[in-house]
Amino acid sequence: MNCLTRLGFSISQKQQIEELTLSDYYLAMEAYAIKRTLHREDIALQAWFNQTVQATKGSDKHPKPMYRKFDEFYNTEELEDEIRSSFEDDYVSERTKARDEQAAINERFAKLQEIKRRKGEK
């Protein structure tokens, strides 16, 4: 019955169920239990987010939302960058690239200003 209700087998796979070894069955049940635990964690995380998103700052008379924009509360891009950088050694996020490009532009502009200043002193 567990194979049908918990492990995703269908009645048409009855032969596969009967051929399942006890160790494979226990492994599948363990995986199912872990999957349920992860599902419960998702539910708990949703409850946590619901509570957190309702957080306020300021006085009791004049509360203001703690988060004005969704990405202040949950920044998907940042999390994706963190995940990708853990799997890809040479990963650089688009934000980091843009920040580096802007820093290079600022540096070149400062050098140009310095050159102009020096020419003006002569």
Side-chain angles (χ1 to χ4, degrees):
M1 188 59 65
N2 282 339
C3 288
L4 296 173
T5 59
R6 291 177 168 81
L7 301 181
F9 285 93
S10 68
I11 195 69
S12 64
Q13 295 172 303
K14 187 176 178 189
Q15 179 148 357
Q16 287 177 316
I17 294 171
E18 291 170 353
E19 292 172 356
L20 198 62
T21 66
L22 196 54
S23 63
D24 286 343
Y25 170 77
Y26 284 136
L27 180 63
M29 287 302 293
E30 180 182 5
Y32 171 77
I34 291 171
K35 188 176 188 180
R36 293 287 301 151
T37 299
L38 293 173
H39 180 69
R40 285 191 297 271
E41 180 184 36
D42 288 342
I43 292 169
L45 184 61
Q46 180 65 51
W48 179 261
F49 282 161
N50 288 342
Q51 178 185 6
T52 304
V53 79
Q54 293 175 24
T56 59
K57 57 185 177 183
S59 67
D60 287 341
K61 286 186 176 183
H62 304 288
K64 295 179 183 175
M66 185 78 78
Y67 307 101
R68 290 178 142 343
K69 295 186 271 180
F70 179 75
D71 66 346
E72 292 174 0
F73 172 69
Y74 190 87
N75 192 323
T76 305
E77 287 180 2
E78 212 172 84
L79 294 170
E80 285 178 1
D81 289 343
E82 188 177 312
I83 291 166
R84 290 189 64 187
S85 66
S86 71
F87 285 94
E88 304 170 34
D89 293 334
D90 58 346
Y91 177 74
V92 179
S93 74
E94 293 301 318
R95 286 191 321 273
T96 302
K97 286 178 190 175
R99 188 178 63 233
D100 292 348
E101 287 174 7
Q102 187 61 47
I105 291 169
N106 291 343
E107 187 178 321
R108 287 191 300 260
F109 183 73
K111 285 179 183 179
L112 179 63
Q113 295 295 65
E114 179 63 26
I115 291 169
K116 285 182 178 181
R117 187 186 62 75
R118 287 183 186 166
K119 281 187 177 181
E121 288 178 359
K122 292 182 181 181

